[in-house]
Amino acid sequence: MYLDKPVKQKRSLGPLRKANKTKPKSLDLTGQMKLQRHTAAAIVEQFRHDGIEEVICNIARWKNQDHLRPYLTVELSPRFVARTQVERDDIRGSRGNDQARV
């Protein structure tokens, strides 16, 4: 199951800032995200509906600057899959056939 309509509520966003590396394998960036209830609910629904072990989510980022230093804003959102043109054509075709029978 995938969402077929855009989310209009508040987005799940969080800043990532450069981390102080103490070891070569230490994190490059660190931060926190405000996960919105509707985002979490959509992801949980995908787990329930599809009976799967993992969900593909969208992630986006923007470069920003505040009075402290540069940072990245990251957004997590459920996967959006648009309906294909073929599905739309199939729907129109079936309506046309129904009207011809009447």
Side-chain angles (χ1 to χ4, degrees):
M1 178 189 132
Y2 299 109
L3 293 179
D4 60 354
K5 58 185 173 192
V7 175
K8 294 182 182 177
Q9 296 98 337
K10 197 171 180 182
R11 300 181 330 198
S12 294
L13 301 172
L16 284 176
R17 295 187 187 271
K18 187 174 180 179
N20 294 325
K21 291 182 77 86
T22 56
K23 300 175 187 173
K25 292 188 177 183
S26 293
L27 298 171
D28 294 317
L29 304 168
T30 186
Q32 296 179 338
M33 179 175 286
K34 293 179 182 178
L35 182 61
Q36 301 299 318
R37 182 181 300 272
H38 65 87
T39 303
I43 293 169
V44 168
E45 181 59 27
Q46 287 180 345
F47 278 116
R48 284 188 188 137
H49 183 270
D50 296 339
I52 54 178
E53 294 299 316
E54 65 182 21
V55 172
I56 297 172
C57 298
N58 293 329
I59 190 166
R61 68 124 176 118
W62 296 263
K63 291 181 183 179
N64 293 294
Q65 172 83 37
D66 65 8
H67 66 284
L68 298 175
R69 60 187 186 261
Y71 66 96
L72 299 175
T73 297
V74 179
E75 177 184 10
L76 176 71
S77 62
R79 187 170 182 202
F80 173 78
V81 178
R83 293 184 180 152
T84 64
Q85 185 63 39
V86 174
E87 290 173 348
R88 289 187 206 131
D89 290 343
D90 288 346
I91 292 169
R92 286 188 204 127
S94 66
R95 284 183 191 155
N97 291 339
D98 290 343
Q99 291 173 353
R101 291 184 197 145
V102 176

